[in-house]
Amino acid sequence: MEDFKDFYSTSNLKQIKILSMILLVITASSRILTAIFYDEVVKIPSYTEHSIGNVIQLTGAVVFYTLSRIALQNGNWSQQQKKTLTLAFILFVLLITFGVSYVISMHNTKNTLLMFLIGIVTVSLFFAIEYREIMAISIFVVVLFILSMVMPKIAFQEKITNVIAAFILGFILLCFSRYGYYFKSQHFVRLKQLEEKNLEIELLNNQKGEILGFVAHDLRNPLNNIEALSELMLLENQNNLEAKMIANSAKQAKEIINDLLEAVKSEQGLLETKRHELVSFLTPIITRWKTNSKREILFIAEPKKIATAINSSKLERVIDNLISNAIKFSPTDKPIEITLNLHHTNVCIVVKDNGIGIPDYLQKHIFKQFSKAGRKGLQGEKSVGLGLHISKRIIERHKGRLLMQSKENEGTAFTILLPMS
């Protein structure tokens, strides 16, 4: 409850600042127009009263705007001080709206309802007021309305009608205000619940990272041992199919663990980057893939020297993943094309294959974690749907974008856009 009181007392001050600024602009503009067209304006009935009212409104707007700014900038104001300022502004709004309509209606209260209702609705919508305060304000409205009938000479029947109208206005103010207070309190509760949920999610993310770290530490070592033993068995007999299956399974398990760890790391803030010349960065990566895969990979760079800030190990992982996918989903007799160029203010790296492409219904899932778009390669290679998700996160941490364009049975192109540094 105290949190809500503190929240809405500050929110009320912000509303005072905004509304008093609007009132200041309106009254100042009115004053300027009066000065410009003075000869015509002075002919308006009750001009003197309008002029006095305008000075009061202008002065009040300046005072409340100044006080609200001071209160918002100075964190030492107590809840009671904030509440007092809010109540004073509410009474000020009600008085000036009533005063304007009272003068316009030539002091006949039966014609003041519209302007006064505007003041009541403004107070109800913009401010969160506690029950005791709004009761006091409602009584003030009733008393003000009744006292306003003392000066004008009106029939007794009209006085009775106006008294009834006064009670109706006070009731409207009370009902509107409580209704607004209820919704403001519900909004605050939802905000607090959302904050708590965010804290829970943050805690779960931290726990996820700890669990994956534990998995990596405890599973990598036995997998390394299994892989080493299978390689020894293959040294003795290169045709040992069981040893090959063991080695491939161990390698695949290690890749899954590395992907899981990278998925966690790729959510952690900005990267440390260093300026690199990209042709010299990409050339050894492409050469390694040519050697290991025995595939034709074409590399075209224009211009020959393009440099920007990158995290070399992370970007290498992205390039490796894109080339791996291109090889996985294209026939062995079709070349992989890699181009490097400049596109407006971005460095553009495109990895294109001429393979089976991605069906339209899978394309919207392609960058999601544990994607539904994960498919077996043409040689039966398996995927857990993390590679492209990780790649996209890495590029985004470089303040860049990873785009995809694909057509089924015609191939796929992944485009990396990195900002020039």
Side-chain angles (χ1 to χ4, degrees):
M1 189 62 182
E2 286 300 317
D3 287 345
F4 177 57
K5 286 183 179 180
D6 186 60
F7 173 80
Y8 80 67
S9 61
T10 302
S11 178
N12 285 343
L13 291 179
K14 292 177 181 177
Q15 301 297 348
I16 293 172
K17 181 182 174 183
I18 294 168
L19 292 174
S20 58
M21 172 55 75
I22 293 171
L23 180 60
L24 180 60
V25 171
I26 293 171
T27 52
S29 301
S30 175
R31 205 71 189 168
I32 293 168
L33 289 172
T34 299
I36 295 172
F37 304 103
Y38 179 77
D39 293 337
E40 289 77 14
V41 171
V42 292
K43 298 175 185 177
I44 296 174
S46 305
Y47 165 76
T48 304
E49 290 175 298
H50 282 300
S51 180
I52 294 170
N54 181 263
V55 172
I56 293 171
Q57 295 157 21
L58 187 60
T59 305
V62 171
V63 169
F64 281 108
Y65 178 77
T66 304
L67 289 175
S68 60
R69 280 201 63 177
I70 293 169
L72 287 169
Q73 292 174 356
N74 186 349
N76 296 327
W77 276 48
S78 65
Q79 281 188 19
Q80 189 58 46
Q81 289 174 311
K82 294 176 183 178
K83 185 187 294 185
T84 301
L85 181 60
T86 301
L87 292 176
F89 184 76
I90 289 171
L91 293 176
F92 174 71
V93 169
L94 292 174
L95 283 170
I96 63 172
T97 52
F98 181 82
V100 169
S101 58
Y102 191 62
V103 173
I104 291 172
S105 65
M106 303 299 290
H107 311 146
N108 191 341
T109 52
K110 69 179 182 180
N111 298 324
T112 62
L113 291 177
L114 179 60
M115 196 67 186
F116 204 29
L117 273 172
I118 292 173
I120 287 172
V121 170
T122 300
V123 167
S124 304
L125 289 178
F126 286 95
F127 297 98
I129 315 164
E130 293 185 46
Y131 182 74
R132 287 183 302 177
E133 283 78 11
I134 197 59
M135 276 295 295
I137 293 169
S138 299
I139 293 169
F140 169 80
V141 167
V142 174
V143 172
L144 177 65
F145 210 81
I146 293 172
L147 289 176
S148 66
M149 293 186 293
V150 173
M151 286 178 58
K153 296 178 181 180
I154 56 177
F156 179 77
Q157 291 83 354
E158 288 191 5
K159 288 184 178 181
I160 294 298
T161 304
N162 286 338
V163 169
I164 294 170
F167 280 100
I168 292 172
L169 287 173
F171 182 72
I172 290 172
L173 174 58
L174 179 64
C175 292
F176 277 27
S177 180
R178 297 316 296 165
Y179 200 63
Y181 187 88
Y182 168 76
F183 276 101
K184 287 179 175 67
S185 64
Q186 290 300 304
H187 175 67
F188 177 77
V189 169
R190 291 190 184 96
L191 283 177
K192 296 302 289 185
Q193 289 174 342
L194 185 61
E195 287 178 8
E196 291 172 2
K197 291 293 183 184
N198 286 338
L199 288 174
E200 289 178 14
I201 291 169
E202 187 177 348
L203 178 62
L204 289 172
N205 278 334
N206 291 335
Q207 290 175 343
K208 179 179 72 174
E210 291 173 3
I211 291 169
L212 288 176
F214 170 79
V215 168
H217 183 270
D218 282 30
L219 290 184
R220 269 177 169 172
N221 289 335
L223 285 172
N224 286 335
N225 293 335
I226 293 170
E227 192 175 21
L229 289 171
S230 62
E231 287 175 358
L232 286 174
M233 293 169 67
L234 286 171
L235 286 175
E236 294 177 1
N237 181 7
Q238 292 185 353
N239 298 320
N240 189 330
L241 295 178
E242 290 81 2
K244 287 182 179 179
M245 289 177 63
I246 292 169
N248 289 334
S249 296
K251 183 180 179 182
Q252 185 179 6
K254 282 174 66 179
E255 288 175 354
I256 292 171
I257 289 172
N258 291 335
D259 283 346
L260 287 170
L261 288 171
E262 190 61 45
V264 175
K265 291 178 182 177
S266 67
E267 297 172 2
Q268 299 171 354
L270 296 173
L271 289 175
E272 290 185 7
T273 59
K274 185 179 179 182
R275 191 171 177 82
H276 281 267
E277 204 288 304
L278 292 180
V279 173
S280 58
F281 168 76
L282 290 170
T283 299
I285 299 174
I286 295 168
T287 302
R288 170 166 50 82
W289 275 101
K290 283 182 178 179
T291 303
N292 294 337
S293 65
K294 304 293 192 292
R295 290 289 296 271
E296 183 182 1
I297 302 177
L298 305 175
F299 179 40
I300 303 168
E302 186 63 40
K304 297 297 182 183
K305 293 219 177 264
I306 302 175
T308 192
I310 61 170
N311 182 296
S312 57
S313 63
K314 298 294 185 186
L315 186 58
E316 182 176 352
R317 183 180 181 86
V318 173
I319 300 298
D320 281 341
N321 184 61
L322 297 181
I323 294 176
S324 172
N325 281 349
I327 290 172
K328 192 187 299 184
F329 295 109
S330 63
T332 55
D333 60 336
K334 296 288 182 70
I336 310 299
E337 301 168 20
I338 300 175
T339 59
L340 169 66
N341 54 48
L342 295 176
H343 181 72
H344 300 305
T345 59
N346 294 306
V347 173
C348 181
I349 303 171
V350 181
V351 179
K352 183 179 184 300
D353 65 62
N354 298 285
I356 60 174
I358 304 169
D360 291 340
Y361 72 92
L362 287 180
Q363 290 186 17
K364 61 183 178 181
H365 302 293
I366 203 74
F367 292 116
K368 293 180 180 177
Q369 199 172 34
F370 302 109
S371 170
K372 296 178 183 178
R375 300 177 293 166
K376 287 186 178 181
L378 296 183
Q379 305 300 320
E381 303 95 332
K382 293 181 181 179
S383 170
V384 293
L386 274 173
L388 289 174
H389 169 76
I390 292 168
S391 299
K392 187 172 186 290
R393 286 296 186 91
I394 290 173
I395 298 303
E396 286 173 350
R397 290 172 69 196
H398 279 85
K399 301 296 183 184
R401 291 188 296 161
L402 178 60
L403 309 175
M404 180 270 300
Q405 187 175 10
S406 182
K407 193 168 183 180
E408 198 168 4
N409 299 320
E410 291 186 16
T412 303
F414 285 95
T415 302
I416 300 169
L417 294 175
L418 297 174
M420 288 289 292
S421 61

